[in-house]
Amino acid sequence: MGRAGRRLPALAALFYGALAALVLLGVRDVMFLYEENRCSMTYMYEYPEYLKIKLPKKTARRYPAYELYLYGEGNYAEENKNLLLTGIPVLFLPGNAGSYKQVRSLGSIALRKAEDVDFKYHFNFFSVNFNEELVALYGGSLQRQTKFVHECIKVILKLYKDREFAPSSVAIVGHSMGGLVARALLTLKNFKPELINLLITQATPHIAPVMPLDKYLIDFYTAVNNHWILKAQDLRNLTTLSVAGGFRDYQVRSGLAFLPRLSQHDSALSVVSSAVPRAWASTDHLSIVWCKELILATIRAFFDLIDENTRQITEDPKKRMSVLNHHFVRHPAKMYEENPEAFTHLTGAFNWITVKASKWTYSVYNDSDGKYFSFPLASHRKSYSHVYCENSMLDTSSWIYGCMNTNSSMCLEAADLSWRAELLPTTKVVMLKLLDYSSLSHIVIQVPPAVGNKYTLGCEFFKEDSRTVQLPVTHIFSFGFSSSKILLNSTGLLYNVQLQHFNQIYQAFKIYIDSHCQSLKERKPSVYRLHIPWSYEDSITVAKVPSLAEISAKLHIAQPHSDSSLPELNIYSSPDCQYEVILKTSLLQVLGQIVRFHAGAFPVYIVSNILLTYGGQLSTLRSTGQCSDFSLQLVRTAKPYKVEPLISIVVFLLGFNWFREIWESLSLPEVDAAVLSSQDAWFPLVSLILFLFGTGIAYWSGVFFSTSLRLFSSLWLTLIRPPELQKDKLITPSRLCGMISLALVSWTTCGAFAVLIIYLQYLFKVVKLHVTVRAEQNIHNRDSGHSKETSQNSSTHTVKAQSSVGSVPEATQSPSNSKTSAEAANSLKLHTTVLNLFTWIVLLSLPSLIYWFKNLRYNVRLDPDPCRTTAIILVCILEILMNSSTSEVKSSKLLKIAAKVPLPLSVAMLAFGRMHLYRVPHFVTFSLLLHALCCFV
């Protein structure tokens, strides 16, 4: 039994160490193992200047921490100092802890673009200074920021009053939480929706907050999203573009940046930066505001949105969406035209060459004569379903046309099919379904004279079935040991590999594409595109041929239930090459997906495990009179089957209308797991995995606590004489005064500040108790060694020992000291667990404390304060608990209830706290309140 007892802690440490290692592997995948930064930095040609705009006195007095600036450079900045503005106003809103100076990338490139058109059109970029507030973690100031932005819009429009082309609206670019503030403008009662007609958000978490740390943040999100869903018809004149950063952005996952479903189907667009034409790069949370490729796409879109008559952004919603689709979804490698001509005259003394073959390639190098290659369609319609053409000349001129002559291979007038093309990194491609173009008789490829240029063209006719293959993905539990393979002997230019059963966010794969060619001649690079049909989150890889390319395949958004399409791997191949596609499950990236989607819920699972252990310690204290060690009690008590089945049953029953009606009639909040399921962010076994991860982290947090206390006590014993072990009174006048003082601090300043003070007091008490217990143990060990030596001597001198006077009192005092020391050791174990719980409350309240400290010069009192009420209650509870001992608790009539309550509280915490982290301190506080009452009842 002894050997088994010693083996249990070692096995537990090994198991929980493995769990913690899995968590670290997932964190490593999210934060470090992403694609390299392919963005170019934007640079200012002249020194950037920020002109502060004077606000009305009432506005400046109401919002003393906020400011409005106008961006400028060089001569342009000097000219605008008198604020005689004639451009198009654009307002930039920074995000969480963001700076108003982040507008410089947009402003500088827009200025260079305006210089290219001789300032026929130009933009005035304004930026708001939100004092770098932590609005992603503290929601109390979001409403204030929204109202300030409304005032800024009114001030900006007044600057253009009486101008010839005075604007009636402002375009807004919002980074991170700035985008959410922009959307919240429409929820204000006195806000006129026509004041903004274009909104572009960058890495904005639209669906839900990354860390729901306070009620104000949740309420703000609920109000904004409900308004945009319920009032979708009223928002049709507002065009919204949301750009997500992709997998490089580990702060805001891209799934959160997609605009809520059901809102503005035809006037809202959500894309991932890796899918944006001419960018094709994932960005991190900060680089999205300076990524040159993305900024260029944004500025090009701005200039294409200008109405020549009003010299402002067009009021036509259809044109706005057309421009955004052109620059952010599918770029045809042509300059944007609002109404392109349906037919084009094919002029020029070009040679006409008829091509009857089903596959054709042509290399151009220093050709002085232009050519038209004509492909008659009649002979191909029966045998083939599609025609595919590509051109490596990445200019913006038209190059492919459709003729409707039935008798001749030449035509003077043709439909410009270049608008059907799509730009890729190394080529522009077009694929046409022949049935959709039944009126065409010929396809014509134009090859203009190319002096000094070298490029290739190619066309081929094919049946869709012959170029589409299906590859079933491997199961998640294959752990990368098995693979799916397919071999493509390329005879053409394009292959589509459909990935079967790839539709959930927890799936993650490594795809290896090994290319081999028969000849060693120079070939164009191959392009591999992972196309996700239900969202704009494609990723593109360019690889040399031959080579071995590696592609990560994982999703930002799960497949909607109404969608039956399959993700595709598009291979833009080289002829006469062989491509082997190998797909394996990536365990590391699966862990990364779990962390990416559910890391915000980790504190709930960790605290739930600690709370279960705390209940187990109270139960052991009641039954045996001894408090068990945290690590051993965690192994015994923290079991997922105690909490998970009940939540799963409730979620299942909520699928029935009758149960949902009963649930709603009781005014119970929604179960977070049910909400996550409706958002397709919940998958089988995830709660069990997260619970086990939470157990592993809780175990090692306990080890960390005990080790830290041992180090502190060792330092104390080295520097200071240990205090004597004595029993403290629960409440004294001085402690009552301290309690009232901290309650006043909480009420008049910041609740989190009072929580931090009482935490530090409690920590000092626990360290002091640890020092005392260690000192008593050292004395006890020394005395026991001395008594053993004395007993050996007394066996040889029995008569002398019996006549000794001092031995009797020493024997009578030993049990009392030992009992007191054991009681202190039990108290220390319980206090350490309470301190562990309380640490997580402090961590969850830390953002509001940082926010309060940063804004202290503007207001001493944090208003609104998410922690105020909880802080006052905790101050009273912990002032009692820090002076309590197990001797008072184990004789309490309430101990039985206090020991059983943590289990239902843990269940409730997991049910209602995953998406509402601010509820976690409430559950812990209630459990600690019962513990405090045990000291009296």
Side-chain angles (χ1 to χ4, degrees):
M1 286 293 290
R3 200 177 285 175
R6 286 192 297 270
R7 195 182 299 129
L8 181 63
L11 290 175
L14 187 64
F15 177 68
Y16 295 130
L19 289 175
L22 291 176
V23 175
L24 291 175
L25 286 173
V27 171
R28 177 174 173 265
D29 177 73
V30 171
M31 299 187 68
F32 302 105
L33 300 183
Y34 40 68
E35 67 178 68
E36 63 179 358
N37 186 11
R38 294 188 294 205
C39 281
S40 304
M41 176 67 79
T42 51
Y43 294 98
M44 284 74 252
Y45 287 84
E46 297 176 275
Y47 190 78
E49 296 185 36
Y50 305 90
L51 178 64
K52 187 176 178 180
I53 305 297
K54 188 176 180 181
L55 299 172
K57 290 182 180 179
K58 186 179 178 180
T59 303
R61 190 167 54 250
R62 187 179 296 173
Y63 309 101
Y66 301 157
E67 297 167 324
L68 177 65
Y69 288 89
L70 172 65
Y71 178 81
E73 294 178 19
N75 293 333
Y76 171 76
E78 287 294 325
E79 292 170 3
N80 287 336
K81 282 187 177 178
N82 56 10
L83 294 180
L84 297 176
L85 306 178
T86 57
I88 303 167
V90 179
L91 179 60
F92 175 78
L93 305 180
N96 178 59
S99 170
Y100 64 95
K101 294 182 179 180
Q102 289 173 313
V103 72
R104 60 184 176 269
S105 295
L106 284 165
S108 183
I109 289 183
L111 185 59
R112 303 284 86 77
K113 181 77 172 174
E115 289 175 350
D116 291 342
V117 296
D118 295 326
F119 281 92
K120 181 181 179 182
Y121 312 113
H122 71 279
F123 289 85
N124 302 128
F125 276 85
F126 297 85
S127 184
V128 172
N129 178 16
F130 284 135
N131 195 32
E132 300 185 8
E133 292 178 336
L134 297 172
V135 287
L137 304 176
Y138 169 73
S141 63
L142 283 168
Q143 194 68 25
R144 185 161 54 247
Q145 286 191 1
T146 306
K147 291 178 180 178
F148 179 74
V149 172
H150 184 199
E151 297 299 323
C152 288
I153 291 173
K154 291 189 285 187
V155 169
I156 289 168
L157 292 177
K158 281 183 182 178
L159 295 175
Y160 296 87
K161 196 175 181 181
D162 301 327
R163 300 290 189 273
E164 183 181 0
F165 298 101
S168 59
S169 62
V170 174
I172 296 180
V173 178
H175 173 240
S176 188
M177 294 298 288
L180 188 72
V181 168
R183 287 180 61 215
L185 285 168
L186 297 155
T187 65
L188 298 177
K189 291 182 180 179
N190 56 346
F191 184 80
K192 298 176 182 177
E194 58 268 21
L195 291 179
I196 52 173
N197 58 13
L198 177 66
L199 170 60
I200 298 177
T201 66
Q202 302 170 325
T204 296
H206 290 293
I207 298 292
V210 177
M211 293 290 285
L213 291 172
D214 65 61
K215 189 176 185 296
Y216 309 113
L217 195 58
I218 295 291
D219 290 345
F220 189 82
Y221 264 92
T222 303
V224 172
N225 286 331
N226 285 348
H227 183 88
W228 276 59
I229 291 172
L230 297 174
K231 304 286 184 180
Q233 296 298 324
D234 300 336
L235 303 177
R236 289 187 178 275
N237 288 326
L238 171 63
T239 303
T240 310
L241 168 68
S242 175
V243 182
F247 289 111
R248 277 187 64 86
D249 189 350
Y250 55 79
Q251 294 184 46
V252 176
R253 63 178 177 85
S254 296
L256 292 177
F258 278 66
L259 289 161
R261 294 170 188 171
L262 305 177
S263 70
Q264 295 178 287
H265 286 296
D266 54 354
S267 59
L269 182 64
S270 300
V271 298
V272 179
S273 61
S274 60
V276 174
R278 304 171 84 170
W280 298 300
S282 177
T283 63
D284 60 56
H285 196 63
L286 291 179
S287 69
I288 199 169
V289 300
W290 55 255
C291 178
K292 185 177 180 180
E293 289 75 11
L294 270 180
I295 299 299
L296 283 170
T298 305
I299 297 303
R300 289 180 188 124
F302 270 131
F303 276 86
D304 285 339
L305 285 166
I306 297 173
D307 187 325
E308 292 186 2
N309 297 321
T310 63
R311 295 200 175 184
Q312 296 294 324
I313 289 177
T314 179
E315 295 295 328
D316 183 2
K318 290 185 178 179
K319 180 183 176 181
R320 293 198 296 260
M321 282 303 295
S322 175
V323 170
L324 294 180
N325 274 288
H326 178 93
H327 289 283
F328 288 91
V329 177
R330 186 186 179 94
H331 198 295
K334 286 180 65 67
M335 303 293 286
Y336 176 79
E337 293 181 28
E338 185 176 357
N339 296 305
E341 294 183 3
F343 293 95
T344 303
H345 292 282
L346 300 182
T347 58
F350 286 10
N351 295 325
W352 283 82
I353 302 172
T354 302
V355 180
K356 295 183 178 180
S358 61
K359 186 170 66 175
W360 166 83
T361 57
Y362 184 76
S363 296
V364 182
Y365 183 61
N366 278 340
D367 281 13
S368 57
D369 298 326
K371 298 181 181 65
Y372 286 120
F373 290 92
S374 175
F375 299 80
L377 300 180
S379 59
H380 296 300
R381 289 187 183 277
K382 292 182 180 179
S383 304
Y384 305 107
S385 62
H386 289 74
V387 59
Y388 167 84
C389 294
E390 62 182 22
N391 183 353
S392 64
M393 183 66 172
L394 302 181
D395 60 355
T396 57
S397 58
S398 297
W399 61 284
I400 183 168
Y401 305 90
C403 291
M404 286 175 280
N405 293 345
T406 55
N407 300 322
S408 172
S409 60
M410 296 176 58
C411 61
L412 298 178
E413 190 177 65
D416 190 351
L417 300 178
S418 304
W419 293 102
R420 302 288 183 269
E422 182 176 10
L423 181 65
L424 295 175
T426 61
T427 185
K428 47 190 178 183
V429 302
V430 61
M431 186 165 67
L432 306 173
K433 188 176 181 180
L434 296 179
L435 280 176
D436 295 339
Y437 297 89
S438 56
S439 61
L440 297 183
S441 61
H442 294 76
I443 296 290
V444 176
I445 301 292
Q446 181 183 11
V447 181
V451 179
N453 291 328
K454 183 179 180 180
Y455 62 97
T456 59
L457 300 100
C459 282
E460 64 171 336
F461 293 85
F462 61 89
K463 280 188 176 180
E464 186 178 20
D465 295 344
S466 67
R467 298 300 170 85
T468 303
V469 293
Q470 293 187 334
L471 182 67
V473 299
T474 52
H475 197 273
I476 187 173
F477 292 117
S478 65
F479 301 120
F481 294 111
S482 63
S483 62
S484 290
K485 298 181 183 180
I486 196 164
L487 190 64
L488 304 173
N489 289 310
S490 175
T491 57
L493 303 173
L494 173 68
Y495 280 89
N496 295 323
V497 180
Q498 294 182 337
L499 305 178
Q500 294 178 304
H501 316 301
F502 179 30
N503 50 25
Q504 298 297 329
I505 57 171
Y506 60 84
Q507 295 175 295
F509 307 98
K510 282 287 183 71
I511 301 176
Y512 301 95
I513 304 176
D514 192 5
S515 57
H516 299 282
C517 301
Q518 295 177 358
S519 61
L520 298 177
K521 67 178 183 179
E522 184 182 353
R523 298 174 183 273
K524 66 180 181 65
S526 291
V527 178
Y528 310 129
R529 174 167 67 177
L530 182 64
H531 173 60
I532 309 300
W534 56 81
S535 65
Y536 299 116
E537 55 175 284
D538 294 5
S539 59
I540 292 179
T541 303
V542 179
K544 294 180 180 180
V545 178
S547 68
L548 176 63
E550 181 183 306
I551 299 172
S552 293
K554 47 196 175 187
L555 299 174
H556 295 293
I557 292 180
Q559 185 176 30
H561 299 293
S562 57
D563 196 305
S564 59
S565 55
L566 295 175
E568 289 183 342
L569 177 64
N570 305 135
I571 300 178
Y572 299 91
S573 57
S574 294
D576 306 319
C577 290
Q578 189 180 73
Y579 293 83
E580 185 180 21
V581 181
I582 304 170
L583 183 145
K584 293 182 178 181
T585 295
S586 173
L587 177 61
L588 186 64
Q589 294 190 57
V590 170
L591 293 171
Q593 287 292 83
I594 294 173
V595 171
R596 179 175 286 109
F597 279 83
H598 299 288
F602 277 2
V604 180
Y605 286 92
I606 296 166
V607 175
S608 176
N609 275 278
I610 299 173
L611 198 59
L612 286 172
T613 307
Y614 171 62
Q617 285 180 313
L618 290 177
S619 181
T620 307
L621 182 66
R622 176 177 170 269
S623 59
T624 66
Q626 301 292 322
C627 184
S628 56
D629 185 69
F630 177 85
S631 300
L632 291 174
Q633 193 61 51
L634 180 75
V635 175
R636 296 191 197 112
T637 314
K639 305 294 184 184
Y641 60 79
K642 293 183 177 181
V643 293
E644 292 299 332
L646 183 59
I647 298 173
S648 300
I649 291 169
V650 171
V651 172
F652 173 75
L653 291 174
L654 283 171
F656 298 97
N657 290 331
W658 61 270
F659 187 81
R660 179 171 286 277
E661 289 173 3
I662 295 172
W663 189 270
E664 291 173 353
S665 66
L666 296 173
S667 299
L668 293 171
E670 284 190 283
V671 178
D672 289 347
V675 177
L676 289 168
S677 295
S678 66
Q679 296 176 356
D680 297 319
W682 202 246
F683 48 88
L685 299 179
V686 65
S687 193
L688 174 62
I689 294 169
L690 291 175
F691 188 93
L692 292 174
F693 283 174
T695 310
I697 297 171
Y699 178 88
W700 288 106
S701 73
V703 172
F704 172 78
F705 257 90
S706 60
T707 306
S708 301
L709 288 174
R710 194 174 294 112
L711 288 173
F712 282 135
S713 62
S714 298
L715 185 62
W716 184 313
L717 286 169
T718 305
L719 301 176
I720 306 172
R721 185 179 177 181
E724 293 183 5
L725 192 61
Q726 57 184 5
K727 187 174 180 180
D728 291 332
K729 292 182 180 180
L730 288 175
I731 299 177
T732 63
S734 61
R735 286 172 187 156
L736 191 60
C737 288
M739 190 187 303
I740 295 170
S741 299
L742 282 177
L744 286 173
V745 167
S746 176
W747 185 260
T748 56
T749 59
C750 173
F753 184 49
V755 167
L756 180 62
I757 293 173
I758 195 71
Y759 174 77
L760 294 175
Q761 286 184 8
Y762 199 176
L763 179 62
F764 177 78
K765 282 274 187 178
V766 173
V767 171
K768 184 178 177 181
L769 179 61
H770 197 284
V771 169
T772 307
V773 169
R774 282 191 65 181
E776 288 292 322
Q777 287 176 346
N778 291 339
I779 293 170
H780 178 72
N781 292 337
R782 199 162 52 243
D783 288 348
S784 62
H786 178 68
S787 62
K788 188 182 291 185
E789 186 180 340
T790 305
S791 64
Q792 289 175 356
N793 292 334
S794 65
S795 63
T796 56
H797 305 284
T798 310
V799 179
K800 212 178 219 181
Q802 287 176 352
S803 63
S804 176
V805 179
S807 64
V808 176
E810 199 172 305
T812 56
Q813 287 173 10
S814 181
S816 175
N817 292 336
S818 178
K819 185 177 180 181
T820 307
S821 180
E823 199 68 54
N826 285 331
S827 298
L828 177 62
K829 292 175 183 177
L830 200 56
H831 280 306
T832 305
T833 304
V834 172
L835 188 65
N836 197 347
L837 275 173
F838 193 35
T839 300
W840 286 98
I841 296 179
V842 172
L843 291 175
L844 292 174
S845 63
L846 206 56
S848 61
L849 175 65
I850 297 171
Y851 179 90
W852 169 76
F853 186 75
K854 282 189 67 177
N855 290 271
L856 196 56
R857 57 178 172 161
Y858 302 109
N859 204 336
V860 175
R861 191 173 193 258
L862 180 63
D863 189 32
D865 188 349
C867 305
R868 183 169 291 130
T869 306
T870 307
I872 293 172
I873 297 171
L874 279 171
V875 163
C876 300
I877 292 172
L878 292 171
E879 196 67 59
I880 296 168
L881 287 183
M882 73 172 67
N883 300 300
S884 67
S885 66
T886 53
S887 59
E888 296 144 348
V889 175
K890 63 185 177 184
S891 59
S892 171
K893 297 177 182 178
L894 285 177
L895 184 56
K896 183 177 181 181
I897 298 173
K900 290 185 176 181
V901 159
L903 176 57
L905 286 179
S906 295
V907 175
M909 192 184 298
L910 294 184
F912 306 116
R914 289 185 181 108
M915 299 177 65
H916 304 80
L917 290 179
Y918 64 88
R919 291 174 178 168
V920 172
H922 302 160
F923 296 116
V924 176
T925 301
F926 184 75
S927 187
L928 294 179
L929 176 62
L930 289 176
H931 185 170
L933 290 175
C934 287
C935 299
F936 299 99
V937 181

